[in-house]
Amino acid sequence: MDKLNIYKLFNEHIKLGKVLLDEPMKKHTYFKIGGPADVMVLPGNIEEITKAIRICKENNIDYYLVGNGTNLLVTDKGIRGVVIKVEKNLSDIKVEGTKIIAQAGSLLSVVSKAALNHSLTGLEFASGIPGTLGGAIAMNAGAYGPEMKDVVTKVRCIDREGNIKEYTNEEMNFSYRHSRVQEESLLVVEVELQLEKGNYEEIKKYMDELTEKRTTKQPLHLPSAGSTFKRPEGDYASRLIDVAGLKGLRYGDAQVSDKHCGFIVNLGEATSEEVLHLISVVQKTVKDKFGIELEPEVKIIGER
């Protein structure tokens, strides 16, 4: 089925959300990089998400599930098929005692603020992590030690067949930057977090300290996908890249940040190919010098 017919098909079924044709992915990633998606669907609720997935399955249409694109690098040729984007339309947050029940499109920073407003401690580490709660669960996001797995009790997901399933913390198979979501290409729709009662001023002070640490050490003023590489066992990717002499290395408008070597940043009009070239140079140099294979943390999708 060609993209125009796919577009028409989804317009017949998606009423609360939006359907976009040839949508530039650079508008939907923090990297500000990426060619067009044939069709992008912005579902209005959980029912429309399941409907969109089933339409793709029934018509053998390739599809990709994305949040707000914080750790995404889309290729310059873009994405063939359908992108189902879950963000603002699924952002309800409820606080029940020491529990927070939030939809997957909620920004992690907003969920953390809700915890602060109710004097709940345990989520401070996530206050400065960009992206949605769903994306944070998918990759078991963490910072300065704690990870999402430390506070999650239940996760509701939609599987590849469009069925809603619920998993406990143990069933999520959390590990470093990994979860069951990645294993089975699930889509997170709602998360239950268990926090503890704390002191508002102490929680706010800690969050402010972490914010200060991020803003002074990370290149937040430039587009990127966050940490480009996963942390190798017993070391840090940023340290290895720095010692290898790659700080500030530039190819086109892609650059190994001269502020934090763990980030590859977009200086203006960087292409996916430029970023991928830098990733390969960094990987080869670090492997040659230290015998360590750096694994990308950034998710790369699209036609190559």
Side-chain angles (χ1 to χ4, degrees), residues 1-232:
M1 188 182 300
D2 64 38
K3 63 185 176 184
L4 188 56
N5 283 322
I6 294 173
Y7 174 73
K8 291 177 180 177
L9 176 64
F10 275 96
N11 263 314
E12 292 172 6
H13 293 88
I14 302 299
K15 302 302 181 185
L16 296 175
K18 293 180 182 177
V19 184
L20 307 172
L21 182 66
D22 287 328
E23 180 67 5
M25 286 302 295
K26 64 169 59 179
K27 292 169 58 176
H28 300 274
T29 69
Y30 269 47
F31 236 145
K32 307 299 183 192
I33 293 173
D38 284 349
V39 175
M40 175 175 282
V41 180
L42 305 165
N45 54 27
I46 292 175
E47 289 70 29
E48 286 196 338
I49 295 173
T50 59
K51 186 180 292 184
I53 291 174
R54 284 176 179 154
I55 290 171
C56 289
K57 294 292 292 184
E58 289 166 3
N59 293 276
N60 295 314
I61 301 168
D62 291 334
Y63 69 95
Y64 297 84
L65 306 169
V66 303
N68 69 339
T70 51
N71 73 324
L72 207 58
L73 176 62
V74 178
T75 60
D76 301 318
K77 291 183 179 179
I79 298 172
R80 305 290 72 80
V82 173
V83 171
I84 301 173
K85 182 177 180 181
V86 178
E87 194 186 3
K88 296 175 185 175
N89 288 338
L90 271 87
S91 57
D92 288 345
I93 301 171
K94 292 185 291 184
V95 180
E96 299 178 355
T98 55
K99 288 182 180 178
I100 292 181
I101 300 165
Q103 291 184 317
S106 307
L107 291 175
L108 207 51
S109 57
V110 176
V111 180
S112 300
K113 187 67 180 296
L116 169 65
N117 290 339
H118 289 80
S119 300
L120 297 177
T121 183
L123 201 59
E124 292 91 335
F125 74 93
S127 61
I129 298 176
T132 60
L133 178 60
I137 295 299
M139 66 177 295
N140 186 27
Y144 307 109
E147 299 174 315
M148 292 307 299
K149 69 177 178 60
D150 301 323
V151 293
V152 170
T153 49
K154 293 178 186 175
V155 181
R156 289 180 72 212
C157 299
I158 299 175
D159 67 14
R160 297 291 292 184
E161 305 301 319
N163 303 307
I164 295 178
K165 295 187 175 181
E166 186 170 286
Y167 302 98
T168 64
N169 183 299
E170 294 75 20
E171 291 170 335
M172 284 298 295
N173 301 340
F174 286 122
S175 59
Y176 177 67
R177 301 299 176 264
H178 176 82
S179 74
R180 184 172 190 154
V181 174
Q182 297 175 32
E183 294 172 9
E184 301 178 16
S185 297
L186 303 172
L187 175 66
V188 179
V189 292
E190 190 175 76
V191 181
E192 181 183 283
L193 308 172
Q194 179 63 61
L195 305 176
E196 296 179 7
K197 203 67 181 171
N199 177 276
Y200 178 92
E201 294 302 330
E202 290 178 2
I203 296 168
K204 187 175 187 306
K205 181 182 178 184
Y206 185 34
M207 288 172 67
D208 289 344
E209 288 173 357
L210 293 181
T211 298
E212 173 71 12
K213 191 178 291 189
R214 285 190 181 92
T215 54
T216 56
K217 294 186 177 181
Q218 297 179 3
L220 303 182
H221 61 297
L222 290 170
S224 76
S227 296
T228 307
F229 301 98
K230 294 181 180 179
R231 186 180 68 236

Side-chain angles (χ1 to χ4, degrees), residues 31 223-226 228-229 254-257 262-266 275 278-279:
F31 236 145
S224 76
T228 307
F229 301 98
Q255 181 190 47
V256 176
S257 171
F263 289 65
I264 289 178
V265 296
N266 178 0
V275 174
L278 268 191
I279 287 175

